[in-house]
Amino acid sequence: MDSHGHNEQRVVWTVVGTDIGPLLLAATRDGLVNVVFHATDAACDRALDRLAARLGTEPVEAPGSPLLTEAIHQVRAYFAGRRRDFDLPLDWSLISGFNRQVLRELASGVPYGSVVGYGDLAGRVGQPGAAQAVGLAMGANPLPVVVPCHRVVESDGGIGGFGGGVDTKRQLLALEGVLPEPLF
């Protein structure tokens, strides 16, 4: 608590190297709150500024924080092929409404090594005509990889878009055995 008796929000972050490049992981007391692709210095600065504005506190770099330890461990295990599912507390405070509903369904209902169409996912949340809105929800996902938006594809077999880039989406789907490993 702060000096006024209020619970003070704490946000900690670190960068983890992965097969798809560096990922910024940020967490609050409630759980992992943000994962950011291509975590260069400039990308980190932008992401941390957005987190500070949205959560009302300046994120603190703390790679050894207990709030991040398990997330780091699970992300590394996923990329090493030793983990198929993430079992982490998640802080959903950066997303709400339809987007949160869709992402929660994605996280619980689309397992490792499988894919779902945008329209199919819309139907699962009771909005069968909302495929485009599902696409927007995927683009707004604050927790990519952990909440696996890379598993959402076009109904005609196309790979669809991806906030981390289509090459990154292909790499994640190859890691999960959905696509063949790229030749180069």
Side-chain angles (χ1 to χ4, degrees):
M1 294 213 179
D2 65 17
S3 60
H4 304 291
H6 299 269
N7 281 331
E8 198 173 297
Q9 176 72 286
R10 177 163 184 212
V11 181
V12 293
W13 68 276
T14 193
V15 173
V16 176
T18 72
D19 293 350
I20 59 168
L23 295 177
L24 180 145
L25 305 179
T28 67
R29 287 185 182 102
D30 293 330
L32 191 65
V33 71
N34 204 198
V35 176
V36 178
F37 290 112
H38 315 298
T40 61
D41 289 345
C44 286
D45 289 344
R46 286 189 304 274
L48 296 171
D49 287 346
R50 280 192 311 271
L51 279 172
R54 293 283 307 276
L55 299 176
T57 188
E58 200 64 40
V60 175
E61 186 172 14
S65 167
L67 298 173
L68 289 169
T69 302
E70 187 60 21
I72 293 165
H73 172 74
Q74 289 189 28
V75 164
R76 287 182 175 151
Y78 170 80
F79 282 101
R82 296 188 316 267
R83 175 172 278 282
R84 292 175 164 234
D85 301 305
F86 291 94
D87 183 21
L88 296 167
L90 301 177
D91 179 339
W92 294 93
S93 63
L94 295 178
I95 199 146
S96 61
F98 177 79
N99 290 0
R100 183 187 290 189
Q101 182 183 9
V102 168
L103 291 171
R104 283 182 180 264
E105 173 59 30
L106 173 65
S108 65
V110 183
Y112 182 98
S114 66
V115 294
V116 65
Y118 293 97
D120 293 337
L121 190 53
R124 289 186 187 191
V125 297
Q127 300 289 328
Q132 285 185 319
V134 166
L136 294 173
M138 295 306 103
N141 182 3
L143 296 161
V145 180
V146 175
V147 176
C149 52
H150 60 277
R151 296 180 190 155
V152 184
V153 297
E154 295 174 349
S155 59
D156 65 3
I159 195 164
F162 193 61
V166 174
D167 287 341
T168 299
K169 185 172 187 172
R170 287 184 194 284
Q171 286 180 278
L172 290 167
L173 291 172
L175 173 71
E176 294 188 8
V178 175
L179 292 176
E181 291 287 338
L183 297 176
F184 48 88

